[in-house]
Amino acid sequence: MKPIPFDHTWPYERQMGEVYFTECPYCGEQNILTHMSANSLELAKDRVKQRLNMPCCKTTMIILEADEDYFWTNERLR
């Protein structure tokens, strides 16, 4: 399997069980609270593809996998 390039990643934060972005990779909005469930995050960590609709700009991020710090996506975000 070909590794996902680092420019296809975006950092996220977890606080009190919620998933946050410091900045939206699509519109630049600051401090975004996503609607990602804990179950969806665990599935992403198990490399099960997840769709995340950004509440700020309604763009959909396709998450191929996740680790403790980053979402690894199917598109260049940086």
Side-chain angles (χ1 to χ4, degrees):
M1 179 186 233
K2 184 178 175 183
I4 302 169
F6 191 72
D7 62 2
H8 284 53
T9 66
W10 199 254
Y12 72 93
E13 302 287 332
R14 287 189 68 189
Q15 293 180 3
M16 297 177 58
E18 303 287 348
V19 176
Y20 290 85
F21 289 122
T22 302
E23 180 181 353
C24 175
Y26 304 106
C27 71
E29 185 76 26
Q30 301 291 309
N31 300 317
I32 305 301
L33 170 61
T34 71
H35 302 291
M36 183 174 228
S37 69
N39 185 51
S40 291
L41 180 57
E42 290 307 312
L43 286 170
K45 288 179 179 180
D46 289 337
R47 296 183 173 181
V48 177
K49 186 180 348 179
Q50 300 295 304
R51 299 173 73 85
L52 178 61
N53 295 317
M54 302 302 291
C56 48
C57 60
K58 309 301 184 217
T59 305
T60 300
M61 177 185 284
I62 306 297
I63 301 167
L64 302 177
E65 63 183 84
D67 60 26
E68 293 299 319
D69 301 308
Y70 293 96
F71 289 135
W72 299 76
T73 71
N74 67 335
E75 63 185 318
R76 184 180 182 155
L77 299 175
R78 299 170 186 266

